[in-house]
Amino acid sequence: MKCQRCGKCCEDTRMELSAKDIRRLEKAGYRKDEFAQHDSEGIWRLRNSEGICSFLNPSSRECNVYELRPVGCYLYPVNLSPEGGVVIDDACPAAGTVDGGEKKKKGVLLRHQLRMIDANRQR
Ligand code: SF4
């Protein structure tokens, strides 16, 4: 895909984090309670600060941890529909640049990521 780095997907983010995502960011020196919070279902998600992901630079609209970003951010705009099918979120202006091969590959990774997140849920 050809991300336009518009930062739209970083607004009011609810991006789910795996334990691996959290460990990678902690290892780089970030504090979990500053970049993440868990929801009522025990799922860790990126934390917003003033309506945007706490890692997004508000002036440049660039991600401060792009190379270390959560797997879900890498996979976006590939997503799962409520019925469980692999879909592309057309809210992303670059949605049309995701080809069939990428959609399929990212769909497999996304299902794996969500299984891991579910297994690590704080119950
Ligand atoms: S993934 Fe899409 S919404 Fe997010 S920054 Fe890139 S172009 Fe914008």
Side-chain angles (χ1 to χ4, degrees):
M1 76 163 299
K2 293 188 172 40
C3 174
Q4 298 175 9
R5 305 219 174 165
C6 65
K8 212 171 161 186
C9 57
C10 316
E11 292 169 2
D12 289 323
T13 180
R14 292 187 38 78
M15 182 56 69
E16 299 179 354
L17 302 170
S18 68
K20 242 177 160 175
D21 289 326
I22 293 171
R23 271 199 305 275
R24 188 171 60 254
L25 290 161
E26 283 183 318
K27 235 173 140 180
Y30 296 98
R31 277 188 27 212
K32 181 162 92 173
D33 60 335
E34 286 178 354
F35 68 79
Q37 60 186 81
H38 66 82
D39 65 15
S40 57
E41 294 178 354
I43 295 175
W44 285 93
R45 296 178 186 271
L46 280 174
R47 184 183 281 279
N48 288 289
S49 167
E50 296 182 15
I52 56 173
C53 173
S54 57
F55 285 130
L56 184 70
N57 180 320
S59 28
S60 68
R61 307 294 282 173
E62 290 194 349
C63 176
N64 288 332
V65 292
Y66 191 75
E67 297 302 325
L68 304 171
R69 68 198 185 285
V71 169
C73 300
Y74 160 71
L75 298 174
Y76 186 82
V78 174
N79 214 335
L80 291 187
S81 71
E83 295 75 34
V86 178
V87 294
I88 298 176
D89 186 350
D90 57 16
C92 167
T97 68
V98 180
D99 66 26
E102 183 177 6
K103 180 180 172 190
K104 195 171 168 191
K105 184 180 135 203
K106 286 188 168 177
V108 172
L109 294 172
L110 181 56
R111 287 187 203 283
H112 175 70
Q113 173 79 348
L114 293 175
R115 270 197 304 274
M116 290 208 311
I117 289 170
D118 194 47
N120 291 323
R121 200 185 275 225
Q122 311 267 307
R123 298 187 199 267

